[in-house]
Each structure stands twice: as C-alpha cells, then as structure tokens.
Amino acid sequence: RDRVMMDIKTSKASQADVELTEEDFMRVIEDEAVKTLLEDLDVDIMNPTGLFDTFDPEGTGRITITEMVQAILRLRGDPQKTDLIASWVALRSLHQKFDRFQLTFLRAHEAQR
C-alpha cells in the first residue's frame, strides 16, 4: 500500500492516468484506513476478492481513479429496487442475445452437414 500511495503522490501524471493493478487494488482495499473510509462512505466491502471486477467494468486488469470513483458511487448504500430491475433487464437481454447466437450457430452447423 505504501508503495502504491508513494507512486500516486510522486507521479507527474494526472489523476486520470493513475492506475492500479488487481494486486495493488487488493493491498489497498485491505488497508484498515481504506476500510474505515469506505465504511464512512456507506460502501460495504464483504468480499474484496470479487470486488475488482466491479471497479474494472471493461476488464482491462487495471482501474483508474475515475473508474474507482464511479464504482464507489454505484456501491454506496443498500441496493435499490431500480438497481435490481436494471440488473434483471440486462441479464434478460444477455440471455436473449445468447439464445440468438446459439440458434445461429446451430443453423450454421446443420448447414455444413
């Protein structure tokens, strides 16, 4: 954590350019001061292992300060009904896309026979 914090403080790059790897993120998130800060922000961190994916929605393996702030804003407080509905709608859409892909794949496979 100290190394990461030192890198951030001494970096000449803008805050938007600062990135954390998953390993760095895990070290920072396990820090007691960070845990306290997140609790104060009403962000419940029960499972830090799976949390990196929430902070890295694009799957780049690195998170920027902007992504971190956006994730913290999404994680604040209790889940709202709209959050659950949005997740359900997104999952249903993904399921429909997969069904269409599967049908297209099966038709292509049958055409090759």
Side-chain angles (χ1 to χ4, degrees), residues 50-88:
L51 190 63
F52 186 79
D53 293 334
T54 301
F55 283 79
D56 182 26
E58 296 174 6
T60 62
R62 297 179 148 329
I63 58 171
T64 64
I65 297 298
T66 302
E67 290 171 329
M68 185 175 286
V69 169
Q70 290 170 344
I72 288 171
L73 291 173
R74 282 193 308 270
L75 292 171
R76 290 189 70 204
D78 294 328
Q80 301 297 312
K81 190 174 186 178
T82 55
D83 296 331
L84 298 174
I85 292 170
S87 296
W88 180 78

Side-chain angles (χ1 to χ4, degrees), residues 2-87:
D2 292 336
R3 180 185 64 77
V4 173
M5 297 308 286
M6 178 76 89
D7 289 348
I8 291 171
K9 288 178 184 175
T10 59
S11 175
K12 292 184 181 178
S14 70
Q15 284 187 343
D17 294 333
V18 175
E19 295 181 335
L20 293 175
T21 64
E22 185 171 2
E23 183 181 323
D24 292 335
F25 174 80
M26 292 306 295
R27 279 197 302 266
V28 169
I29 210 76
E30 290 295 330
D31 183 85
E32 289 304 317
V34 173
K35 286 180 181 181
T36 301
L37 178 62
L38 290 173
E39 281 179 25
D40 290 345
L41 292 170
D42 199 21
V43 176
D44 188 18
I45 306 294
M46 295 187 76
N47 179 15
T49 305
L51 190 63
F52 186 79
D53 293 334
T54 301
F55 283 79
D56 182 26
E58 296 174 6
T60 62
R62 297 179 148 329
I63 58 171
T64 64
I65 297 298
T66 302
E67 290 171 329
M68 185 175 286
V69 169
Q70 290 170 344
I72 288 171
L73 291 173
R74 282 193 308 270
L75 292 171
R76 290 189 70 204
D78 294 328
Q80 301 297 312
K81 190 174 186 178
T82 55
D83 296 331
L84 298 174
I85 292 170
S87 296

